[in-house]
Amino acid sequence: MADSRKRRKKPDRWRQSTTSQRDETAWTPCLGQALYYVTGVAVMCWLAAKYSAYLETLHENNLWFSNIEEVKREISFRTEQGFYYAYYKQLVHAAHFTAGVCDLTRDNATEHRTINALQRFNIYQEVALAAVYRLFGLQVAPILFYVRSVFALQGLALSCVFATSWLLSGTWYAGALSVVFHVINRPDTTRVDFAIPLRESFALPFLFLQMALVTHYLRSGIPRWQQRPTLLLVFLASLLFALQWQFAQFVFLLQAAALFLLAYAQLLPHTKVFSLYSVHTMALLSVTALQFFHTMILGSLILSFLPASVLLLKLQGEEVRALSLARRLLVCTAHAVALAAAMFAFNYSVKVVIGQQDDAHIYKFLLGKFGLGNPRDLDSQLYLCNGAFQFLDFGSVRRLTMKWVFPVYVLSEACFVLHLLATVVYKWRLFGVGNRVVDAKSNRDSDADALLSPQGGARFSIKPEMAYHCMQSLLFAAMATLTLRMKYIWTPHLCVMAAVGLTQPDVWTSVLQRLKVTHRSSVFVIRSACAATFIGVLVAVSLPEARRELAIEKEFHDPDTVDLMHWISKETPEGAAFAGSMQLLAGVKLCTGRHLTNHPHFEDKWLRERTRQVYQIYGRRQPADVHKILTEMGASYIILENSICYVPSDDPCGLGHLVDMDNGYYAPSGGAPMTGPKFCDEIRHGNPPYRRYFKPVFNNRTFRVYRVL
């Protein structure tokens, strides 16, 4: 009996030992997974910090920024950059911050009339940075704090690129690879190191943050308790993006179009798409309110597209889903035409009601891109002749190809597109004629994976978040091809898609299964090792060039502009108003605080007309005509730039030629100009008709200043 009891106790101890071992074994993968995620986040933060420091070092080496005098630092903010920074400077040096903000709502210097700068311009970021600087009483120079803040935001942007790649691929090695692609292709992925105060430098990090959050939200396995907090974060990121850049509405339009196409093709659940549409709408309306109900957003295409697309998705009935593939394509074409017609009709009606014409130049520019616009129109021609608004150049594609990312992207995107199209065709055939039809309510109210069950082929379908990024990348690529400036939205996303394509788990699993490697851990280790090896090769190849770039040290040098700004500050009254090119007058506002007749923020019909009048100083106009124009707008001085004035008259993008074309002096297809000298050239001779109206007061190798008598 005793031996029997002893034998019974052994299984109990063995069972306890087995349970303990099982508990320890259960903890092992949890600890390993936690360590994996902590390592990934640490790598992401380290790379972001290093990238911010790298950009700041490049900027410092290029200009010797921390050691040159203040006026040189300010002049380095060319064109519209200086215009925006001027508001930050104004708030930092205001006697009281609240009084400075109130002054922005009653600004009488920027256009030599009273305007609300917070309504007209996207300068809330300058208000926020000035508030932080004054609140904490920072000892660093205001301009250095401003610059470092922008570079810190680029670290946020890089973190979002990392996170998006991680979410799409399931491994943070993809995030690290996308960051390496982004950094080694820096001239084509960002221009912040030489264009710091541009609106994109502030806005794009929040766009990439929003896209990372949308990626998480679209995942089919996301718990319901995470959906509302994620939508709230998407709203905040969308709000900050739209508040800081006047062209955010067009990016949102492409995003909404991508979501619509995927929802229409039944690749995304309608409820999630409608929720994101609501976020877009609330963000844009919030920006409208914060900008004192500026009408440009209310008249935007995105706010016309959203209700039209929602209506079409709501009306997408079961009879359409039951059609054959060929007939369904015809119906899709008809729906696309109806959607475009409804959007433009609604947009036109809204603009008529609110009297909004501030964005007319954008549509003129788009028509001019395809040779459909008026070749005499000065507004559109100023954009078409600007290098940043040309078509995507071959040099960008060549550089991206030489750094390997573009070929990888093309191959990856092609595979994703084929997978997407195959999924659409499969689903349309599965639920077409002769097959069961999925209930419309289940499509709209359930997750994407409910539409195709494992028995119905869910394993064949593309993931919702992957489908979104595939479609979004195509639309971003089209936008970048059309306008070079927009490539800085596409190329970071290009890096993401290339990295995800190289680390896509489904591809690695399929390939390794053919090699008889089926264990999940083995597949993961091999995939990660190959990604790490590729990262190492990229770094090794690119590191020598980066070191050479960091070794180059320059110093800002523009003595003629410095002399001009010093002369204006010392020799002209504070209330004097200056007329000249938009680019130069932005610097005049920043460095001297004098009044302006025009400036580079072109999103206002009244200002565009005024700029056209000011630019008569570079056309073939009589001195009496120019004097009348300038006195009517209250100009005290005009600044003529020799680099603009002496451009040959037959240069199709010379400002003088564009002004003469706008005035009807040239035929669009060529021809002899109207007789008469250019005003800016003839005035330097000091002939009596010119001395009667204008007096020379300053002159150097680059600029000539005349006082309006």
Side-chain angles (χ1 to χ4, degrees):
M1 292 290 294
D3 293 340
S4 177
R5 283 194 296 269
K6 288 179 182 178
R7 284 195 296 269
R8 289 194 198 99
K9 289 180 181 178
K10 286 181 181 179
D12 292 340
R13 288 196 299 269
W14 179 85
R15 192 177 295 111
Q16 292 173 3
S17 175
T18 304
T19 304
S20 176
Q21 291 175 2
R22 196 176 293 132
D23 292 341
E24 291 176 2
T25 306
W27 275 101
T28 302
C30 293
L31 289 174
Q33 190 176 30
L35 180 61
Y36 175 77
Y37 281 110
V38 169
T39 303
V41 172
V43 170
M44 179 179 70
C45 295
W46 181 79
L47 289 172
K50 285 294 183 182
Y51 181 62
S52 298
Y54 171 60
L55 291 175
E56 185 177 353
T57 302
L58 288 176
H59 179 255
E60 174 67 20
N61 290 354
N62 190 46
L63 300 173
W64 206 30
F65 195 75
S66 62
N67 291 276
I68 57 178
E69 62 178 310
E70 188 73 6
V71 67
K72 291 182 179 180
R73 292 173 178 171
E74 294 176 349
I75 292 172
S76 70
F77 294 155
R78 302 290 188 181
T79 65
E80 60 184 294
Q81 301 176 54
F83 177 77
Y84 296 122
Y85 177 79
Y87 288 105
Y88 167 79
K89 177 182 176 182
Q90 179 180 335
L91 288 172
V92 166
H93 294 291
H96 300 284
F97 180 76
T98 53
V101 174
C102 290
D103 288 341
L104 294 184
T105 63
R106 299 187 299 269
D107 179 12
N108 61 359
T110 301
E111 295 180 359
H112 203 44
R113 62 168 183 155
T114 302
I115 62 170
N116 184 343
L118 289 175
Q119 180 190 52
R120 283 282 307 282
F121 316 123
N122 301 82
I123 56 172
Y124 271 98
Q125 49 268 58
E126 277 71 28
V127 175
L129 288 178
V132 171
Y133 183 85
R134 294 180 64 127
L135 178 63
F136 292 99
L138 302 177
Q139 299 302 311
V140 67
I143 195 169
L144 295 180
F145 171 71
Y146 184 94
V147 167
R148 290 168 185 171
S149 298
V150 176
F151 288 142
L153 276 177
Q154 308 318 303
L156 171 64
L158 202 73
S159 298
C160 297
V161 168
F162 187 107
T164 302
S165 303
W166 190 351
L167 286 168
L168 289 173
S169 66
T171 173
W172 61 259
Y173 284 103
L177 180 57
S178 65
V179 165
V180 172
F181 276 141
H182 188 284
V183 174
I184 67 176
N185 291 279
R186 178 189 53 79
D188 294 296
T189 56
T190 182
R191 56 175 179 169
V192 70
D193 52 311
F194 63 88
I196 295 170
L198 284 183
R199 304 301 82 186
E200 304 97 296
S201 301
F202 289 93
L204 290 186
F206 294 100
L207 171 64
F208 300 142
L209 174 60
Q210 187 247 36
M211 292 181 67
L213 292 167
V214 169
T215 304
H216 178 65
Y217 179 70
L218 291 177
R219 299 174 79 179
S220 58
I222 179 175
R224 288 190 177 275
W225 65 268
Q226 292 184 14
Q227 293 185 16
R228 286 190 177 182
T230 303
L231 279 176
L232 176 61
L233 293 175
V234 172
F235 165 75
L236 293 175
S238 301
L239 173 64
L240 292 172
F241 171 56
L243 187 62
Q244 298 182 90
W245 195 26
Q246 66 270 29
F247 296 135
Q249 53 172 295
F250 298 103
V251 180
F252 280 166
L253 178 62
L254 295 182
Q255 191 174 59
L259 293 170
F260 168 77
L261 291 172
L262 295 172
Y264 187 86
Q266 303 172 43
L267 296 179
L268 290 181
H270 288 193
T271 48
K272 285 191 174 183
V273 173
F274 293 158
S275 296
L276 290 173
Y277 279 5
S278 299
V279 167
H280 281 145
T281 304
M282 289 188 294
L284 290 170
L285 293 179
S286 299
V287 171
T288 302
L290 287 170
Q291 289 194 291
F292 298 85
F293 299 96
H294 195 302
T295 58
M296 186 171 173
I297 292 180
L298 294 176
S300 63
L301 279 177
I302 174 65
L303 288 183
S304 301
F305 175 84
L306 292 176
S309 60
V310 168
L311 179 62
L312 185 56
L313 289 174
K314 289 286 188 181
L315 295 176
Q316 187 184 16
E318 292 303 322
E319 64 278 1
V320 175
R321 296 174 188 171
L323 294 175
S324 64
L325 184 61
R327 290 184 177 181
R328 190 161 185 175
L329 289 175
L330 291 176
V331 172
C332 290
T333 303
H335 283 172
V337 173
L339 175 62
M343 177 183 67
F344 285 112
F346 186 70
N347 183 255
Y348 178 78
S349 301
V350 170
K351 287 185 175 180
V352 169
V353 171
I354 65 177
Q356 202 278 106
Q357 294 182 326
D358 291 337
D359 59 355
H361 63 299
I362 298 175
Y363 302 106
K364 292 179 182 178
F365 158 72
L366 292 174
L367 290 173
K369 272 283 188 178
F370 301 101
L372 302 175
N374 179 6
R376 293 186 181 276
D377 183 72
L378 181 63
D379 296 343
S380 60
Q381 292 302 315
L382 288 174
Y383 276 101
L384 292 171
C385 287
N386 189 319
F389 293 92
Q390 300 296 315
F391 288 104
L392 183 68
D393 61 313
F394 177 75
S396 297
V397 177
R398 181 181 58 82
R399 288 190 299 270
L400 292 169
T401 302
M402 295 295 291
K403 297 294 179 65
W404 302 4
V405 66
F406 189 71
V408 176
Y409 165 77
V410 171
L411 181 61
S412 301
E413 184 69 11
C415 293
F416 293 142
V417 170
L418 290 175
H419 191 187
L420 188 151
L421 292 176
T423 304
V424 172
V425 172
Y426 178 80
K427 294 176 71 171
W428 284 7
R429 285 180 173 175
L430 180 65
F431 303 125
V433 176
N435 294 296
R436 64 185 181 88
V437 178
V438 174
D439 179 56
K441 191 174 186 303
S442 66
N443 180 36
R444 293 187 172 97
D445 294 339
S446 62
D447 289 333
D449 55 357
L451 186 60
L452 279 177
S453 62
Q455 294 78 14
R459 287 171 297 202
F460 180 80
S461 63
I462 190 170
K463 294 179 180 178
E465 66 273 20
M466 196 68 247
Y468 162 70
H469 279 277
C470 175
M471 183 64 67
Q472 191 70 82
S473 186
L474 291 176
L475 296 178
F476 281 170
M479 179 175 64
T481 302
L482 187 64
T483 306
L484 182 61
R485 182 176 180 176
M486 296 300 180
K487 78 173 182 179
Y488 300 104
I489 298 176
W490 172 56
T491 46
H493 197 253
L494 177 151
C495 296
V496 169
M497 298 302 286
V500 172
L502 284 176
T503 57
Q504 188 66 14
D506 296 339
V507 175
W508 281 95
T509 300
S510 300
V511 171
L512 291 176
Q513 280 179 348
R514 296 177 181 275
L515 300 175
K516 308 303 181 182
V517 179
T518 57
H519 198 277
R520 286 182 59 186
S521 299
S522 301
V523 173
F524 177 80
V525 170
I526 294 173
R527 179 167 64 112
S528 301
C530 291
T533 302
F534 193 67
I535 290 172
V537 172
L538 285 176
V539 171
V541 171
S542 305
L543 197 57
E545 181 182 349
R547 286 174 173 168
R548 286 193 300 270
E549 189 178 32
L550 289 170
I552 299 174
E553 295 183 349
K554 303 177 184 179
E555 182 178 353
F556 178 83
H557 183 74
D558 189 358
D560 289 346
T561 306
V562 172
D563 289 345
L564 173 66
M565 299 306 170
H566 281 315
W567 180 86
I568 293 174
S569 298
K570 294 177 181 178
E571 302 297 334
T572 63
E574 292 186 1
F578 283 79
S581 69
M582 296 183 290
Q583 298 85 347
L584 179 62
L585 291 187
V588 171
K589 175 179 175 60
L590 170 58
C591 298
T592 71
R594 299 301 187 263
H595 291 208
L596 311 179
T597 58
N598 56 307
H599 55 76
H601 194 91
F602 221 45
E603 281 67 51
D604 183 79
K605 182 183 179 183
W606 180 90
L607 181 69
R608 291 196 297 272
E609 177 58 28
R610 189 162 194 173
T611 299
R612 191 180 72 82
Q613 294 296 323
V614 170
Y615 278 1
Q616 300 305 310
I617 61 179
Y618 291 109
R620 300 177 185 275
R621 297 296 296 266
Q622 296 300 314
D625 297 335
V626 175
H627 182 267
K628 181 181 179 181
I629 291 172
L630 295 174
T631 52
E632 286 179 352
M633 62 180 62
S636 310
Y637 298 87
I638 58 172
I639 307 176
L640 297 174
E641 299 172 63
N642 294 333
S643 59
I644 298 177
C645 183
Y646 298 149
V647 172
S649 298
D650 57 352
D651 185 340
C653 280
L655 183 55
H657 179 86
L658 296 179
V659 171
D660 290 340
M661 281 279 290
D662 187 67
N663 291 335
Y665 293 170
Y666 285 91
S669 59
M674 181 178 180
T675 58
K678 293 168 65 175
F679 172 85
C680 65
D681 186 27
E682 192 67 17
I683 192 176
R684 65 190 175 94
H685 299 300
N687 294 328
Y690 292 87
R691 290 202 307 267
R692 178 181 176 184
Y693 298 109
F694 305 97
K695 179 182 178 180
V697 291
F698 177 84
N699 182 43
N700 63 21
R701 294 173 302 175
T702 305
F703 305 104
R704 288 174 282 136
V705 181
Y706 297 86
R707 183 159 61 89
V708 181
L709 301 177

